[in-house]
């Protein structure tokens, strides 16, 4: 009946998909995607769905692509028929469609389309949309799993995407790097600092991937910070040494942490406050493997906080804490109460908490922990109670002061009604007695008295082993126990029978008068037992202890063999050796190397060259320098070729021109010498003609050499024609909205490089219409250890420079102590030009101070990262500008507007560019009352794609 209903539903959906109405198709796709989300199989609808892959409806196309991603691998033949559609969709204006098409294309697992996939990935990796580039990074892993031979080509794409500045792409490309070429550390060198700085803004999934990769990277590039002579100075710079002698001198000096090592630790520390458990766990393992020992306490509170999460999260976190607590007890000892077992905890959670409490036990807190264990032993959870007894035995072994107390407590448990508790107590007592057997003969006697009441085979076998091992300490009780075992030998478990044979053999060697007959009786029973092991053991013991003609030389050494002293067992944690795996990994959780696990390398003895991480900012050759145009030149020469030539001739003929080169002078001297030598052989007219030819040749060579001047005018010509096209429309509609075209022109001009223009018309920036009074948080008082900071954009021209944005900072001291020397560090992380405020020598408790500063964001929404410092601490802070805060308000009168509108000179709009478009740009159209931009209008929507350079 259910199958019939499902088939009817599929038929209805097929009819809706084949309908001519877009609304029905959209509704059908929504239902199909809903079925997929519920885990239903909708593969039968593939032919009907794939027909709509070329639909013009954006919403419908999105849902079709979602379906195809799910079933493209199962229905490969049908999906191949739509490849041409996917290729066309890769050129779609909508970024979601482009990304979805690439996702579907990479989900078709057919080797024949590998070249198409490779080409699509390369094109998508250069897409303007970061979302499409992110999808390209995910497609790299799919293509690599389909065809590993494409590895070298994919590495080229990965290298290109690693340079991407978008936070949306960073995590995905690092994941592709980990899957394709995790050993190519050289690809990370130039991008290391960028990844560290972008880490806080990446999505949570990407943060985990990047942190794990940077952990492995740091273990190969930095020396160990765990040296005793380590010096941790965040502002120290490590020098380079070339000669071998200087390197030896360096090795003898105290360790100083590499600035890049400190950068990684500093930029990951704020992520300990993340709401995502995986991020906190990733940062914790990074600090565990990379941070100095005295800084490990930073991660303790964050890990303890995670214990309030779900049961699955608790299990992983407790496993990692159990590993940490073995080596660093002091980290978690202040939070010991957080590991007390609750009645609602699952058994595996209880066991892990018990493990941690045992690791934290010492002479100071052992009494508290043992009282807690006494409660756990009474638990109804038998497995947990048995684990508690084992924990008591470990405490007794590790802390000699409580060994007797623990033994007495375990002996009392032998009278417990629960067989599991009694059996585990016997096993633990047996291990403890091996350390000091002569002092605990009374305990062995007490266990022998309880032997008849103990039914668990492991406990009975343990008592028999104790009797045989220490039979000389209880010479009267051991034979009696053997007598009882002879009666019940045939009904005992195999493990008990084996220990009975051992007991008989040892008593035969030490007290043969009383036990000779008993031993022979037991050996005869074992000779015909059903178990092979017992029969073999019986024959071996008989030949070993009973001398006869056939027995060999071993019988002489029977006492040494059977009564040899045994080493005391070592009770240790099950997490003792798990630190060989990286914390937070699947291999650590399983205590076994999982497939794909990458081991952490050992610290290098000598740090590799740190200059490989220095990224040099190379400006394009011949790029004009802003604000450095030659003085005294008029814009009118821009339009006159003859005037330009005359200017060049004047510069060439002037003897005082500083730009003349020595090479030209040497050439002229050589020419004069040649002419003087040839004057006797040729006429003066010929020499003049040769001079003219050589002069023209030199001019041609100079014209072929590109210089900044030629590029300067090429940019100007481009902008002039752009302006000319915008202002040349003459139809009535365009003329009525000329101001809109001017806005468009400003946007297009912003896409070119910044050029300094000598503008004759002076434009004044106007006051902003609205300045928000609300401030944004720069530094929280908890993070800043009492120092808090807030900032706001004043929307006023910056007094520190035309290219800077003015900011106002409010610094407050919420601590009970005065803060001294509050200042901004001299180096900024992202390279922005920052005008710092004067250092505040002292800020009293509960006091506030307001200062101003300027930041040049370089026409980009890239955050300005810098360090806000006090006398004792340094805090990394970040200012993220909104697009509207990077534009400047400018107004002009009707006469100026008309004049600039009719003038072919582009000075008006170029002046906006010279002003760097700081703050908000406003335009006033004074001539047309019907223009929608008649009043001041915010045109920041023109920059919805981000300003130039973003």
């Amino acid at each position: 009946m259910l199958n019939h209903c499902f088939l009817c539903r599929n038929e209805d959906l097929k009819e809706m998909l084949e309908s001519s109405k877009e609304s029905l198709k959209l509704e059908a796709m929504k239902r199909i995607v809903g079925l997929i989300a519920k885990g239903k199989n909708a593969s039968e609808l593939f032919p009907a769905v794939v027909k709509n892959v070329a639909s013009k409806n954006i919403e419908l196309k999105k849902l079709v692509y979602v379906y195809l991603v799910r079933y493209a691998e199962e229905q490969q033949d049908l999906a191949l028929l739509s490849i041409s559609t996917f290729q066309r969709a890769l050129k779609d204006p909508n970024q979601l469609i482009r990304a979805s098409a690439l996702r579907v294309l990479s989900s078709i697992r057919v080797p024949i389309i590998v070249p198409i996939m490779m080409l699509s990935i390369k094109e998508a990796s250069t897409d303007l949309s970061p979302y499409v580039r992110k999808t390209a990074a995910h497609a790299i892993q799919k293509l690599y799993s389909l065809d590993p031979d494409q590895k070298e080509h994919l590495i080229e794409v990965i290298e290109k995407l690693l340079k991407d500045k978008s936070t949306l792409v960073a995590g995905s490309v690092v994941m592709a790097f980990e899957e394709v070429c995790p050993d190519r550390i050289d690809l990370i060198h130039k991008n290391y600092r960028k990844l560290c700085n972008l880490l806080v803004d990446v999505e949570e999934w990407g943060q985990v991937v990047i942190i794990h990769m940077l952990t492995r990277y740091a273990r190969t590039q930095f020396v160990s910070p765990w040296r005793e002579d380590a010096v941790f100075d965040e502002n120290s710079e490590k020098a380079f040494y070339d000669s071998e002698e200087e390197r030896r001198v360096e090795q003898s000096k105290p360790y100083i942490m590499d600035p890049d090592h400190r950068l990684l630790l500093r930029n990951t520390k704020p992520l300990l406050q993340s709401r995502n458990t995986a991020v906190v766990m990733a940062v914790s393992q990074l600090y565990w493997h990379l941070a100095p020992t005295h800084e490990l306490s930073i991660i303790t509170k964050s890990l303890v906080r995670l214990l309030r999460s779900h049961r699955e999260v608790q299990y992983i976190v407790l496993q990692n804490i159990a590993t940490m607590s073995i080596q660093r007890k002091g980290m978690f000892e202040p939070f010991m109460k957080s590991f007390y077992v609750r009645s609602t905890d699952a058994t595996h959670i209880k066991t892990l908490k018990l493990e941690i409490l045992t690791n934290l036990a010492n002479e100071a807190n052992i009494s508290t922990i043992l009282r807690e264990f006494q409660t756990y032993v009474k638990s109804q959870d038998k497995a947990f109670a048995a684990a508690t007894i084992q924990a008591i035995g470990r405490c007794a072994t590790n802390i000699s002061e409580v060994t007797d107390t623990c033994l007495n407590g375990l002996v009392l448990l032998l009278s417990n009604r629960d067989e599991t508790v009694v059996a585990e107590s016997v096993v633990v007592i047996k291990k403890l007695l091996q350390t000091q057997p002569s002092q605990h003969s009374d305990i062995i006697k007490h266990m022998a008295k309880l032997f008849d009441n103990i039914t668990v085979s492991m406990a009975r076998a343990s008592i028999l082993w104790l009797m045989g091992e220490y039979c000389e300490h209880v010479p009267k009780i051991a034979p009696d126990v053997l007598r009882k075992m002879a009666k019940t030998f045939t009904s005992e478990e195999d493990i008990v029978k084996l220990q009975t044979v051992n007991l008989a053999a040892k008593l035969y060697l030490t007290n043969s008068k009383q036990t000779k007959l008993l031993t022979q009786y037991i050996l005869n029973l074992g000779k015909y037992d059903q178990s092979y092991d017992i029969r073999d053991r019986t024959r071996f013991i008989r030949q070993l202890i009973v001398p006869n003609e056939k027995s060999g030389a071993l019988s002489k050494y029977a006492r040494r063999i059977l009564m040899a002293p045994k080493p005391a067992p070592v009770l240790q944690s099950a997490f003792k050796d798990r630190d060989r795996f990286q914390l937070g990994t699947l291999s650590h959780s399983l205590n076994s190397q999982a497939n794909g696990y990458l081991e952490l390398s050992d610290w290098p003895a000598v740090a590799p060259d740190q200059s490989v991480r220095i990224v040099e900012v190379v400006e394009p050759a011949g790029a004009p320098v802003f604000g450095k145009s030659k003085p005294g030149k008029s814009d009118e020469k821009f339009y006159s070729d003859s005037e330009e030539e005359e200017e060049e001739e004047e510069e060439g003929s002037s003897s005082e021109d500083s730009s003349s080169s020595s090479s030209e002078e040497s050439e002229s001297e050589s020419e004069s010498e040649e002419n003087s030598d040839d004057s006797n052989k040729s006429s003066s007219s010929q020499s003049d003609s040769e001079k003219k030819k050589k002069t023209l040749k030199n001019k041609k060579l100079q014209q072929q050499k590109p210089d900044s001047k030629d590029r300067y005018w090429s940019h100007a010509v481009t902008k002039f024609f752009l302006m000319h096209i915008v202002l040349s429309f003459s139809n009535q509609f365009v003329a009525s909205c000329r101001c809109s075209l001017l806005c468009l022109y400003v946007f297009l001009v912003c896409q070119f490089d910044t050029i300094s223009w000598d503008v004759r018309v002076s434009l004044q920036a106007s006051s902003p219409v609205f300045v928000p009074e609300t401030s944004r948080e720069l530094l929280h008082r908890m993070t800043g250890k009492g120092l808090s900071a807030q900032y706001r954009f004043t929307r006023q021209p910056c007094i520190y420079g035309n290219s800077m944005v003015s900011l106002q900072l409010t610094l407050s001291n919420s601590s009970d102590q005065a803060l001294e020397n509050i200042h901004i560090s001299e180096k900024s992380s992202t390279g922005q030009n920052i005008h710092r405020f004067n250092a505040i020598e002292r800020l009293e408790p509960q006091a506030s101070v307001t200062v101003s500063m300027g930041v040049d964001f370089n026409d980009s929404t890239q955050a300005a990262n810098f360090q806000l410092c006090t006398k004792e601490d340094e805090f990394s802070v970040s200012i993220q500008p909104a697009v509207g805060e990077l534009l400047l308000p400018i107004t002009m009168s009707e006469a100026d507007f008309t004049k600039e509108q009719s003038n072919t000179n582009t000075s008006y709009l170029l002046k906006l560019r010279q002003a760097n478009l700081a703050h908000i740009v406003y335009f006033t159209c004074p001539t047309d009352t019907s223009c929608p931009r008649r009043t001041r209008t915010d045109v920041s929507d023109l920059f919805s794609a981000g300003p130039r350079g973003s």
Side-chain angles (χ1 to χ4, degrees), residues 179-191:
E179 291 290 333
V180 178
C181 53
D183 55 333
R184 288 290 304 273
I185 296 295
D186 57 295
L187 300 179
I188 307 298
H189 289 324
K190 297 292 184 182
N191 304 286

Side-chain angles (χ1 to χ4, degrees), residues 890-905:
I890 294 178
T891 58
M892 60 193 311
S893 64
E894 180 178 353
D896 290 339
F897 184 89
T898 305
K899 180 179 178 181
E900 294 300 322
Q901 185 180 23
S902 60
N903 191 359
T904 56
N905 194 339

Side-chain angles (χ1 to χ4, degrees), residues 428-469:
V428 174
I429 290 172
K430 168 200 149 185
K431 294 179 180 179
L432 292 177
L433 289 181
Q434 287 183 254
T435 58
Q436 297 173 337
S438 59
Q439 301 179 9
H440 303 290
S441 57
D442 294 338
I443 296 177
I444 299 175
K445 295 177 181 178
H446 182 71
M447 295 173 68
K449 292 178 182 179
L450 298 175
F451 184 78
D452 294 338
N453 298 327
I454 297 175
T455 58
V456 179
S457 58
M458 179 58 72
R460 291 173 67 86
S462 298
I463 294 176
L464 290 174
W465 184 90
L466 283 173
M467 293 295 164
E469 187 69 17

Side-chain angles (χ1 to χ4, degrees), residues 718-719 722-723 725-726 741-753 913 942-943 948:
T718 305
K719 295 191 177 183
L722 185 61
M723 178 64 178
I725 292 172
V726 171
L741 294 175
L742 290 175
C743 298
L744 175 61
Y745 171 74
V746 172
F747 170 69
L748 295 175
V749 166
C750 291
Q751 309 308 310
F752 293 93
D753 292 337
R913 197 67 197 105
L942 288 176
F943 301 88
R948 186 186 67 82

Side-chain angles (χ1 to χ4, degrees), residues 351-500:
T351 307
L352 285 173
K353 287 185 175 181
L354 190 66
E355 180 75 27
I356 296 171
L357 287 174
T358 308
N359 293 339
L360 297 179
N362 54 35
E363 293 82 356
N365 58 24
I366 185 61
S367 58
T368 305
I369 291 178
L370 286 179
R371 283 197 299 270
E372 192 74 13
F373 285 175
Q374 288 177 0
T375 306
Y376 300 162
V377 169
K378 302 175 183 178
S379 173
Q380 297 298 320
D381 189 343
K382 305 306 176 186
F384 173 59
T388 303
I389 295 173
Q390 295 179 6
I392 294 174
R394 279 179 54 195
C395 292
T397 304
N398 298 333
I399 306 172
S400 57
E401 288 82 355
V402 296
T403 303
D404 295 337
T405 304
C406 293
L407 264 176
N408 295 331
L410 292 173
V411 171
L412 293 176
L413 292 177
L414 294 177
S415 58
N416 195 293
R417 295 181 180 179
D418 189 357
E419 295 181 355
T420 306
V421 174
V422 174
E424 200 65 38
S425 301
V426 170
V427 173
V428 174
I429 290 172
K430 168 200 149 185
K431 294 179 180 179
L432 292 177
L433 289 181
Q434 287 183 254
T435 58
Q436 297 173 337
S438 59
Q439 301 179 9
H440 303 290
S441 57
D442 294 338
I443 296 177
I444 299 175
K445 295 177 181 178
H446 182 71
M447 295 173 68
K449 292 178 182 179
L450 298 175
F451 184 78
D452 294 338
N453 298 327
I454 297 175
T455 58
V456 179
S457 58
M458 179 58 72
R460 291 173 67 86
S462 298
I463 294 176
L464 290 174
W465 184 90
L466 283 173
M467 293 295 164
E469 187 69 17
Y470 308 113
C471 57
E472 296 178 351
H473 299 287
V474 284
K476 296 181 179 180
I477 297 178
D480 191 55
V481 172
L482 182 63
R483 179 183 59 80
K484 293 180 179 179
M485 289 304 304
K487 294 181 180 179
T488 60
F489 183 85
T490 56
S491 60
E492 296 288 347
E493 296 288 338
D494 288 352
I495 188 173
V496 179
K497 290 179 181 180
L498 290 173
Q499 292 301 327
T500 302

Side-chain angles (χ1 to χ4, degrees), residues 299-357:
I299 66 177
T300 307
K301 289 185 178 180
S302 300
L303 289 174
V304 173
R305 172 172 61 89
L306 298 181
L307 297 179
R308 305 170 187 168
S309 187
H310 302 293
R311 183 178 298 175
E312 296 78 11
V313 174
Q314 291 182 41
Y315 179 71
I316 299 298
V317 173
L318 287 170
Q319 277 190 329
N320 288 273
I321 293 177
T323 302
M324 295 179 185
S325 60
I326 294 175
Q327 299 182 16
R328 300 280 185 269
K329 294 184 178 182
M331 285 177 58
F332 299 97
E333 188 175 355
F335 304 93
M336 192 172 63
K337 291 184 179 180
S338 300
F339 304 108
Y340 285 172
V341 175
R342 300 177 181 177
S343 58
T344 56
D345 289 336
T347 302
H348 58 281
I349 301 295
K350 293 178 181 178
T351 307
L352 285 173
K353 287 185 175 181
L354 190 66
E355 180 75 27
I356 296 171
L357 287 174

Side-chain angles (χ1 to χ4, degrees), residues 46 65-80 86 103-110:
F46 194 93
Y65 280 144
V66 170
Y67 177 89
L68 292 178
V69 169
R70 171 63 179 82
Y71 290 107
E73 189 170 351
E74 298 178 10
Q75 304 283 344
Q76 295 179 0
D77 295 337
L78 290 175
L80 283 173
F86 303 144
R103 193 178 295 114
V104 176
L105 192 62
S106 60
S107 299
I108 303 175
R109 316 295 292 170
V110 180

